[in-house]
Amino acid sequence: MVSQEQRRRQLAREKFLRQQQRRTDARRKARVRNSVIASVLAVVVIGSVALYTTDVLKGDDDTKQNAGAEVTPSASAPSKAPDPCEKPAEGKVKTATWKKEPELTVDKSAKYTMKLATTCGDIDIALKASAAPHTVNSFDFLADKGYFDHSKCHRLTTNGIYVLQCGDPTGTGTGGPGYTIPDENLKDKSLKANTYPAGTVAMANTGQKHTGGSQFFLVYQDSQLPPSYTPFGTVSESGMKVLKKIADAGESTGAGDGAPNATVVIDKATVTKS
């Protein structure tokens, strides 16, 4: 039979063993927990290092690519021709617009010429009053109002079609006099095989019928175009030399359609009846 003292010692030892087991279990759990935490931290660190390394390499690649992008265009870009034109005369473009086409007062039986005194030289144009009376009448009206004076020729095309476009005081290609004029002379005998021959002066439009305003283009080399643009004039021989000078200077984008490199400004436009 176990004495009371022996029983007390046995219970104390069992309690000690239980405490030791709990401590052992706690240490084991702590080791497992610490191991898991260490593993997670290792993954995070490795991942961070990998990401950092990737970003650095990507940055290096981007830097190299950007460096190439900065160097290559300047190395391969064609040299810009010197501006062959003079400085524009002092003055500002007119901003007036009108609600309707001016009254038709042009004399269809008379001869009309338009002179564009530009920074690149004078461009004389024989106008076709009998074949395109509304157009010539509008140019006579606008020139008299000084509408074209000090305006830039804003567009030069050197690929596919070969034209210099003018007549927009805003210089954006979107300006106009506030009214439109009808299409005329689309069966002109000069337009053969959908070609506007060099020297032709014709109206620009929006691509829709009867949407001409004040913008026009001068053809410096035969250009394939549908007969949708009113031909209303012919450039003189001396005027063609001026156009060639402008065309030879090229356009700003290098893609064949942009602002002319030459400073082409109409200092004064004059329409004369004879």
Side-chain angles (χ1 to χ4, degrees):
M1 190 158 179
V2 180
S3 66
Q4 185 175 0
E5 179 61 23
Q6 289 175 330
R7 179 60 179 166
R8 186 184 64 79
R9 289 179 180 177
Q10 183 179 4
L11 291 175
R13 186 162 65 209
E14 289 176 353
K15 180 179 179 180
F16 174 77
L17 291 174
R18 285 196 300 271
Q19 288 175 341
Q20 289 293 95
Q21 185 64 43
R22 283 197 295 269
R23 288 170 184 164
T24 300
D25 291 342
R27 285 195 296 269
R28 182 179 57 79
K29 290 178 181 179
R31 284 197 300 270
V32 172
R33 182 174 65 251
N34 292 338
S35 178
V36 171
I37 292 172
S39 298
V40 171
L41 288 175
V43 171
V44 171
V45 171
I46 292 170
S48 299
V49 171
L51 181 60
Y52 173 78
T53 305
T54 302
D55 284 342
V56 169
L57 292 176
K58 184 178 180 182
D60 288 343
D61 288 342
D62 287 346
T63 302
K64 291 173 184 177
Q65 289 171 2
N66 289 339
E70 291 173 0
V71 172
T72 302
S74 61
S76 62
S79 58
K80 185 176 178 180
D83 189 341
C85 304
E86 304 295 331
K87 291 183 178 180
E90 292 186 5
K92 296 182 179 180
V93 295
K94 299 292 179 69
T95 57
T97 57
W98 297 265
K99 292 182 179 180
K100 61 180 181 179
E101 178 187 356
E103 180 183 357
L104 189 63
T105 59
V106 70
D107 183 354
K108 297 180 184 180
S109 63
K111 291 184 179 180
Y112 289 83
T113 57
M114 179 165 64
K115 179 179 181 178
L116 302 178
T118 81
T119 50
C120 307
D122 291 346
I123 301 174
D124 294 312
I125 302 166
L127 300 176
K128 300 181 178 183
S130 60
H134 287 270
T135 307
V136 173
N137 186 72
S138 176
F139 272 78
D140 185 25
F141 170 81
L142 293 173
D144 185 61
K145 298 295 184 182
Y147 182 83
F148 300 111
D149 298 353
H150 311 294
S151 65
K152 290 183 178 180
C153 292
H154 60 276
R155 182 187 183 196
L156 179 72
T157 61
T158 61
N159 186 17
I161 60 173
Y162 308 92
V163 306
L164 174 69
Q165 189 164 327
C166 313
D168 175 11
T170 71
T172 64
T174 61
Y179 62 83
T180 58
I181 54 179
D183 296 334
E184 299 178 291
N185 198 31
L186 297 182
K187 294 184 179 181
D188 191 287
K189 61 182 181 180
S190 67
L191 306 182
K192 298 178 180 179
N194 288 348
T195 298
Y196 281 64
T200 301
V201 183
M203 290 299 296
N205 58 43
T206 66
Q208 303 297 317
K209 291 182 178 181
H210 313 306
T211 55
S214 60
Q215 294 187 47
F216 61 98
F217 59 88
L218 305 101
V219 183
Y220 62 88
Q221 183 177 321
D222 290 1
S223 298
Q224 289 283 318
L225 285 166
S228 303
Y229 309 93
T230 298
F232 68 96
T234 305
V235 179
S236 67
E237 184 177 348
S238 60
M240 288 301 295
K241 292 179 180 178
V242 175
L243 288 179
K244 186 178 186 304
K245 177 170 64 173
I246 295 168
D248 287 346
E251 53 81 33
S252 60
T253 69
D257 189 354
N261 288 328
T263 305
V264 192
V265 176
I266 300 172
D267 287 332
K268 181 71 177 175
T270 308
V271 174
T272 304
K273 175 185 177 182
S274 59

